[in-house]
């Protein structure tokens, strides 16, 4: 790895020199020697004038090759395509694998897309219409149209010939799909099966009829888990029996990574993949959540302020505020994380059942944690009643934080909001508020005791 | 999906009936109709007596097929293998793809392994020795030995023949590796290149010489990101030039998912993938962290307790404790999450540079958040000095939490501890402690002012 990194870094330094001097031949010799992914990394880091220059040196096929390996979720796609004329971009789109070009086009707004549409081939226009039809981050938005489909009554030899013809423009061809004349999916044939069977066998005799498929509306994270579980490198997308596209493993690897990073960023209350080079930029990225939560936290302060008299009379109460809010927040974060993970996996347990489960978990955790702190406070402060108040408050704070952590993501999901936004810090701060109310309400009940 | 789930559930109900009645023929007809992954799901959910029964009905090849698709990180491998005799298990291991059997065997302790070793083939024994040689979760532990390697001077036709011969026992064959007589990797050839080139071309003329490779000691998460970035379905593992194994994409999908879940679980302070069916079990899973953190939180309580006199005299101080601890915790969680993510990606910025960056981020975030809360408190309470104390305390609490969040994972990583254990709740609770010290120290400086 180290040696490879070094080679790439040396290449990049030289490429920058050639680019500055404007020597196309030297530049191209070195550039085309790089892997398309490395080309894309270099290209996307150039300013638009430089990109303009490089793009005129490259052929449509070379551009398409490079674009195939760009991870569009990590670059400014609008700026990237603006460098090329609509006609040239359309040619590049035509030459790209359709799952990759589809991905790229989803990052453009409708007006920009409309500019390119007249130049696109019929196939690509159709793909665009199809993409617009399916929800974002669904199987339909992820699938590509480049797959090999053959009729059921051809022979293994004919199927092999179909593969040879398709090899030029198909990205991954581990599987061949067998369809009837209406385009309905009948079965799947592995490349291995083709190799291992007699040349004149009919494909329907050797195909696997139990094909695992997904509908185009299924969420991409569910698709990712089906492919991971079954060890698939490709998964057909079927709409009312009709084979409409295929999702390949390389797209899924990105999905798993992105979805996990989204969930993780949500729990952290900051985009963990934002570039960190510039500390002031990084600070600006983190501030909105933090400031927002400070104002939410001021709610908690206001409530404590309302109990000012109580605290003035029994200052020992202040000692346990942060312990109770902290523990409530920790319990809420735990159940939030579990709930978001289960939603990601497509699990939707029945509401009443889920509520009873969380009630039992919260009660168990709350009872054990509450009893622990009751004993500690009683022994430490030699005050049975104070121990009772702190223990009871903690048990209830845990129970409520637990239920809130489990249900807020479900409620958000119900209203179509990404539950990962219900971040850890948000739950923690919300839980501070309820914990403080519970704590001082319970303490208030024992007020005569504390007013020694 | 729904229809497929229903079909599988009906199958499972019937399979259980056949198994109870002991009718092998009916059972097998239905069982072998399932996808090996589904077979594995059914099998691993049986008790060991039932597994014993089913395993005697299956051939070694059928068992191997099913075992290939079991995700060994999610089952009790020791219990799973105990059902088979050492001799039979060794036969199954021989028949499995070597990356999968390798994965399986890593979950067994040395004594159990020693039992099976005499029965294993020479290839598998060698693989075991090789696996033991590389660290856990490294490229070496993940790779398989089933790949196609050909000499440089054979023709495309001969290479095709090699693929045909290998098709039976190779899982994925998108690529063919070209080696010299010493076993050193010279280049790689895609299956597509074979199809598109003339049959009598020599493979070294059409191979790609710039092969991206990894060393066996590289962490599996780095491998995952190389494969995701480059859109590889297979990645060769090379030790001093010598091709020692290949990592396939299906293994990497699991790695990405597992590593992300580990990081996520760490940030949440609970294993989000632990089964949740039994609420008491779920509660037990969450309690250790929570109780541990309560005792850590008691440190914070002790410190506040030490300022009892101060609070009794200026109870308004208690109003802002939870706001300052909460905000410090949130800032710490943000920088912790970013730091863990960067470590996962294999990034190790220089210590001094990283420190300066974090200092600048923390100072910026702290200054802006501190100024905000200073203004709010000043306007709300009409007390400039109180505002200054709270604002200054918050700024410093954020700065310290920020630096701690960024460096604790690096320190842990340095000592070989998984930084994901530095969970969000841990940082939050630690940060409570320092925040409270900072707050009351600063407030103490202004003590004469508060004692009105």
């Amino acid at each position: 790895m180290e040696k490879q990194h070094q080679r790439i870094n040396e290449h990049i330094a030289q490429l920058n020199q050639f680019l500055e001097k404007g020597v196309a031949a030297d530049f191209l010799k070195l550039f085309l020697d790089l892997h398309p992914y490395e080309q894309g990394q270099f290209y996307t880091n150039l300013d638009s004038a430089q990109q303009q220059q490089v793009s005129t040196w490259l052929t449509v096929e070379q551009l398409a090759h490079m674009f195939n390996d760009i991870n569009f979720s990590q670059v400014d796609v609008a700026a990237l395509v603006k460098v090329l004329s609509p006609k040239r971009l359309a040619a590049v789109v035509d030459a790209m694998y359709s799952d990759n070009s589809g991905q790229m086009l989803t990052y453009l707004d409708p007006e920009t897309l409309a500019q390119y549409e007249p130049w696109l081939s019929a196939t690509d226009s159709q793909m665009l219409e199809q993409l617009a039809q399916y929800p974002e981050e669904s199987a339909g938005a992820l699938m590509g149209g480049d797959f090999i489909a053959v009729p059921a009554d051809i022979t293994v030899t004919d199927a092999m010939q179909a593969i040879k013809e398709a090899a030029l423009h198909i990205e991954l061809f581990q599987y061949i799909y067998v369809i009837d004349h209406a385009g309905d999916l009948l079965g799947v044939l592995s490349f291995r099966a083709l190799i291992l069977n007699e040349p004149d066998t009919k494909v329907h005799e050797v195909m696997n009829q139990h094909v695992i498929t997904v509908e185009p509306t299924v969420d991409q994270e569910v698709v990712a888990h089906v492919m991971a579980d079954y060890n698939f490198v490709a998964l057909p997308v079927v709409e009312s029996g009709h084979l409409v596209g295929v999702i390949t493993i390389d797209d899924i690897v990105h999905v798993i990574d992105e979805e996990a990073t989204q969930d993780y960023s949500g729990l952290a209350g900051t985009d963990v993949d934002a570039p960190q080079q510039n500390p002031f930029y990084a600070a600006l990225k983190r501030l909105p959540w933090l400031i927002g939560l400070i104002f939410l936290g001021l709610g908690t302060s206001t409530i404590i302020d309302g109990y000012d008299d109580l605290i003035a009379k029994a200052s020992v109460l202040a000692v346990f505020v942060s312990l109770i809010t902290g523990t409530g927040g920790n319990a809420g974060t735990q159940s939030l994380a579990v709930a978001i993970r289960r939603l990601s996996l497509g699990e939707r347990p029945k509401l009443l059942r889920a509520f009873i489960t969380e009630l039992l978990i919260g009660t168990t955790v709350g009872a054990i944690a509450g009893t622990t702190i009751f004993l500690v406070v009683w022994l430490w402060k030699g005050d049975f009643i104070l121990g009772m108040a702190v223990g009871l408050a903690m048990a209830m704070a845990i129970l409520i934080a637990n239920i809130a952590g489990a249900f807020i993501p479900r409620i958000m999901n119900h209203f179509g909001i990404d539950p990962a936004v219900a971040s850890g810090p948000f739950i923690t701060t919300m839980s501070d508020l309820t914990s403080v109310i519970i704590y001082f309400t319970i303490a208030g009940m024992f007020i005569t005791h504390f007013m020694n």
Side-chain angles (χ1 to χ4, degrees), chain A residues 325-444:
Chain A
T325 55
T327 307
N330 290 342
T333 305
Q334 289 182 330
S335 76
L336 173 82
V338 171
I340 289 181
R341 173 72 178 172
R342 300 189 72 184
L343 279 174
S344 302
L345 296 178
E347 293 175 32
R348 300 273 185 293
K350 290 246 159 57
L351 213 70
L352 183 68
R353 203 203 141 107
F355 183 77
I356 293 171
T357 306
E358 287 305 326
L359 198 71
L360 288 173
I361 296 177
T363 308
T364 311
V365 173
I368 295 175
T371 307
T372 308
I373 199 66
F374 154 68
L375 290 172
V376 169
V377 173
W378 183 22
L379 293 174
W380 180 22
K381 292 280 167 190
D383 189 333
F384 181 83
I385 302 284
L386 180 65
M388 282 296 287
V390 174
L392 201 60
M394 183 176 281
M396 289 200 52
I398 289 175
L399 177 61
I400 289 178
N402 199 76
I403 291 176
F407 284 91
I408 287 176
R410 281 188 69 151
I411 294 165
M412 295 178 78
N413 194 60
H414 183 77
F415 288 106
I417 309 165
D418 182 0
V421 179
S423 72
F426 175 71
I427 284 284
T428 312
T429 310
M430 278 297 290
S431 142
D432 281 1
L433 197 78
T434 55
S435 300
V436 161
I437 295 176
I438 293 167
Y439 178 49
F440 283 108
T441 306
I442 291 175

Side-chain angles (χ1 to χ4, degrees), chain A residues 18-29:
Chain A
F18 292 144
L19 183 58
E20 222 167 280
K21 289 187 202 148
V23 279
D26 290 342
F27 178 88
L28 282 178
K29 191 171 176 302

Side-chain angles (χ1 to χ4, degrees), chain A residues 266-283:
Chain A
L267 201 61
T270 188
D271 177 6
V272 293
D273 265 354
Q276 302 286 324
Q277 279 81 3
N278 182 335
F280 301 105
Y281 178 79

Side-chain angles (χ1 to χ4, degrees), chain A residues 35 117 152 158 179 211 221 311 352 442 450:
Chain A
H35 187 278
E117 194 124 31
D158 292 339
I179 52 175
V211 196
E221 198 156 4
I311 298 166
L352 183 68
I442 291 175
F450 289 120

Side-chain angles (χ1 to χ4, degrees), chain A residues 63-84:
Chain A
L63 279 167
H65 221 55
M66 175 176 79
F67 272 47
N68 271 328
D69 273 345
I70 291 176
N71 186 353
F72 296 109
S73 68
Q74 285 174 2
V75 297
D76 181 354
V77 178
L80 197 69
V81 301
K82 223 177 272 167
V83 166
L84 304 172

Side-chain angles (χ1 to χ4, degrees), chain A residues 85-307:
Chain A
S85 71
K87 191 177 167 183
R88 195 133 198 263
L89 182 79
V92 171
V93 166
D94 272 352
M96 285 170 73
Y97 297 126
S98 72
D99 53 340
N100 299 328
S101 57
Q103 284 293 305
M104 183 175 81
L105 297 176
T106 54
Y107 285 96
L108 298 179
D109 54 82
E111 294 93 74
T112 317
L113 271 180
Q115 264 188 281
Y116 299 111
E117 194 124 31
W119 304 97
L120 290 177
S121 71
T123 328
D124 284 321
S125 291
Q126 201 192 331
M127 177 187 73
L128 264 185
E129 273 168 42
Q130 201 182 42
L131 276 178
Q133 190 187 316
Y134 300 117
E136 252 184 87
E137 309 204 330
S138 68
L142 200 66
M143 69 191 185
D146 300 328
F147 51 85
I148 309 176
V150 298
D153 53 359
I154 70 166
T155 63
V156 163
T157 312
D158 292 339
M160 280 294 242
Q161 190 55 41
I163 289 188
K164 278 189 193 172
E165 283 160 21
L168 254 175
H169 62 275
I170 301 270
E171 193 171 7
L172 257 178
F173 38 90
Q174 240 10 70
Y175 303 111
I176 295 137
Y177 301 96
V178 183
I179 52 175
D180 64 15
H181 46 267
D184 280 8
L185 183 64
L186 299 177
V188 65
L189 205 60
S190 70
F191 183 68
R192 185 197 322 251
L194 283 185
I195 287 185
L196 297 176
N197 276 288
E198 290 301 313
D200 53 354
T201 319
K202 299 281 187 199
V203 294
H204 67 83
E205 292 170 38
V206 288
M207 73 183 185
N208 175 2
Q209 292 179 33
H210 297 302
V211 196
I212 308 285
T213 62
V214 285
E215 279 123 47
T217 49
V218 168
D219 187 84
Q220 62 176 9
E221 198 156 4
V222 176
V223 174
H225 282 282
V226 169
M227 292 186 74
D229 286 343
Y230 282 88
N231 282 329
F232 286 148
V233 293
L235 182 65
V237 182
V238 167
E239 195 166 23
S240 15
H242 202 79
L243 178 63
V244 290
V246 170
I247 298 168
T248 51
I249 186 82
D250 53 324
D251 300 320
I252 280 308
V253 169
H254 291 291
V255 166
I256 292 183
D257 201 32
E258 274 162 36
E259 296 269 345
T261 307
Q262 270 176 28
D263 288 355
Y264 187 70
S265 293
L267 201 61
T270 188
D271 177 6
V272 293
D273 265 354
Q276 302 286 324
Q277 279 81 3
N278 182 335
F280 301 105
Y281 178 79
L284 281 180
K285 275 284 186 186
R286 297 189 197 173
L287 270 166
W289 253 118
L290 219 53
I291 298 281
L293 291 171
I294 285 177
F295 281 95
L296 194 60
L298 275 167
T300 309
S301 297
T302 313
I303 289 168
I304 302 179
D305 194 44
Y307 289 100

